[in-house]
Amino acid sequence: MKFKLEIWRQFETGEEGHFETFEVDGIDPEASFLEMLDQLNERLTGEKRRTVAFDSDCREGICGSCSLVIDDTPHGPRQVTSCQTYMRDFEDGSTIRVEPFRSTSFPVIRDLVTDRGALDRVIQAGGYTGATTGPQPEPNSMPVAPEVQERAMDAAICIGCGACVAACPNGSAMLFTGAKVTHLNLLPQGQPERANRAIAMVDQMDQEGFGGCTNFGECSRVCPQEISLDVIGMLNREYRRGRLGKRPKDPPAMRAQ
Amino acid sequence: MNLPDAKIPPGPIEKKWQTWLDQHRLVGPNNRSDSKVIVIGTGLAGASAAASLAAQGFRVESFCFQDSSRRAHSIAAQGGINAAKDYANEGDSVRRLFHDTMKGGDFRSREANVWRLAELSENIIDQAVAQGVPFNREYGGQLATRSFGGVLVQRTFYSRGQTGQQLLLGAYSALQHQVASGNAVVHDRHEMLDLVLVDGQARGVIVRNLVTGEIERHAADAVILASGGYTNVYYLSTNAMGSNVTAAWRAHRHGALMANPCYTQIHPTCIPQSGEYQSKLTLMSESLRNDGRVWVPRKPGDDRAPTDIPDQERYYYLEERYPAFGNLAPRDIASRAAKVVCDDGLGVGGTGRGVYLDFRDAIAERGHDVIEGRYGNLFEMYENITGDNPYETPMMIYPAPHYAMGGLWVDYELQTTIPGLFAIGEANFSDHGANRLGASALMQTLADGYFIAPHTVAHYLTGDREPVSTSDSAFEQAEDAVESHITRLMDVDGTTAAQVFHREMGNVMLDNCGMARNAEGLERALTEIRAIKRDFWSDLRVDPGRDEFNQSLEYANRVSDFLELGELMCVDALRREESCGGHFREEHQTPDGEALRDDDRFAKVTAWEYRGEQGDPVPHDEPLTFENVKLATRSYK
């Protein structure tokens, strides 16, 4: 197969970027989108031209590293991660536009690579239980109904890729944050910090510059883990619940890393 | 140099770890913040160790090359984690888990380490649940378990087919909690490029900031390598693109011995390779073999659709050859059996290197919904990649490089031959012998990280050390060495990308040092790898610009170490003139094609000493003694 690619090139953070056009030929329809870019890079190296920078690691849809906007859609046409998008899903000879995830909270580092450290800082604000390493209670002494475990798991499977943010017209991270709050607040182990968790994480989201949710629903539509909008409802409820309860302490100060 | 004492505590095996715990030296709570520990890698081992040490009050600096500490490749582990809790009331016990692991490793691991691993397995489940890891539950709300290869009990705990992800997010969130509390700092997009030794002790690292290209010096009182395994030496493997041996290899160059490097695991159930530019192979969890039946057509070249081939014309080779364990034979055995049937021309798929994993009977017996509940996400993943629906047609699978049992030599305290340098998780050689059983990697990484290293590192920190500063000459020399290696990579200025050399080497390694090895092939591989290395250093090209984001430089640097490791693996495989676990020397097999050990000559660990780029590595042997298991021919028939 062959394709014309319009790829976002940007040398460093803050620099003005532009699209550069490349043509690729002899692409196996079974190649993944990232393998097609590998092949382009191998050729560019031979031509002594600068390769295209993009993030990827596991290449099986679970680590959350890959983060391309393909033809205006985060990750591409099939609601799977960029690494699980295959060339067989594109029309032979077509033009494909490739950009980084777009969000003011995800500055571009180079080309298609962004800094998503803001998501780690949201987790630091409250995305954990307080259990430190040491003797813990026997798990079966605290049974969890399978329906509850299933609901928690449906949220816990978030891979932290940030496609939800890139898809949202407001650049909101509510789906990401809602997934973590839902996972932990549903389980008995997450109860001690429950009142503070949603408030602290939402405050951190605001500090990072993520926008608010106005129910577009684009986040869930591009989420490769198909996380439901329900988690945003849960986040809103937990936030109100926290606010109505005891006023929580201020969250610990976050450091950029 | 002589191999140091492994420091195994005296006394009966059940008491060894408690004996050690009772006697180790402690650092008082008020003094812990005086000591700093560097942890390289944020997978299960690294994140759990960093979180645990920080929670104790030590200052922790953690490094990962990924853009976030949540992305390390532990996240891709699917099937589960073993623990001897006996929730299924089958008479399981620490001793049985110990025995299964020793036997699974073909009696090539240290008894004391394996016992401790089995003993700690239960605490890991408790710890993970307390962190909010949502393990699957039975209807009464109790934790669910299932079977994995090589055992006759159901001791594997799981979160759907994403157990590694959930455990890693548990460890990651514990580490982020410590970051928020100010006890730990995580440096993401930083890669360790050298170890710094002062007075023979590990006292820091040189890292490259992958965003700015800046070379940074970091000093500490101890260094923990949790940098994972090296099966990307085969180019195509189930590892992540970035998984590499660089941190471990640079430590090896400074005197940390590398043990049993030839012990690698080729996992039986992966999606077969489809094209030349394929960048990685995807694993399909071993848990699928609980319900899937493995077969090939009996007739060579049978090109009918699998669903059209009647039962009597199907060769269920695992069930026929290993009736007791059947489809749940251990990984090394299942992989080799797949290779044998494909070598005999019975393989399926375009390349003839594939076998079927069929769920037809399980779906008929248990129903579509039960199978979907157990493996839904795996079936979906398979369909995403191949376009085939496993509910309707069998999966096609083939073995792929997956895990390194070999790694840095460590003693009972998980300390390498360099004082103050610890290696945990897949980066060490410790507990799996010559073959790892399924669902035991997660168990070992977390035993090391949560429950062993936090104590053994603290014990080490009570010892004497001079204060060091990053302006010391040792740091300067290490930084110069790193800079000159980068200069060397950039100055080749050829025309070929690093992945081309990596791919060539991977093919050589897979053909000659993969599922089957022989002396002639290994000798040939050594010659070929040396030739590829020469080409690499004469025609490599990386993007210009060292003081900036430069992925081609990162990659070339990793490949330069893989090229050296590949040689050592072949040298080790040549010296071990026996077959054991994943190391199958064709010259040493039983009449029915099973691995034939030579316990008289090789019941030992081989730890290799680095002697310079031109020198030959020197082997040191640690004899293995067996007091609690009977050395027996491993049989799963």
Side-chain angles (χ1 to χ4, degrees), chain A residues 35 42 51 54-55 57-60 63 88 110 120 124 129 133 138 140 149-150 154 157 183 257, chain B residues 52 68 71 87 130 132 134 141 143 160 165 172 176 186 189 241-242 279-280 384 503 543 549 551:
Chain A
E35 285 163 358
E42 211 169 297
T51 55
F54 63 94
D55 269 327
D57 204 27
C58 78
R59 297 216 178 175
E60 53 185 276
C63 76
R88 59 178 181 246
R110 173 168 292 188
D120 283 333
Q124 284 159 24
T129 77
T133 310
E138 163 59 39
N140 277 351
Q149 182 270 339
E150 285 286 322
D154 285 342
I157 56 175
H183 158 213
Q257 296 193 17
Chain B
S52 304
S68 161
R71 309 209 195 278
Y87 281 171
L143 289 176
R160 293 185 192 156
Q165 182 201 25
Y172 157 81
Q176 296 304 318
V186 178
R189 292 199 196 271
M241 300 305 287
S279 55
K280 79 155 276 161
N384 271 338
R503 197 153 50 218
D543 282 353
F549 191 82
Q551 290 175 318

Side-chain angles (χ1 to χ4, degrees), chain A residues 1 33 69 111 126 130 180 218 230 242:
Chain A
M1 300 177 88
F33 201 87
V69 174
D111 297 344
K180 187 47 65 185
E218 291 296 323
D230 292 353

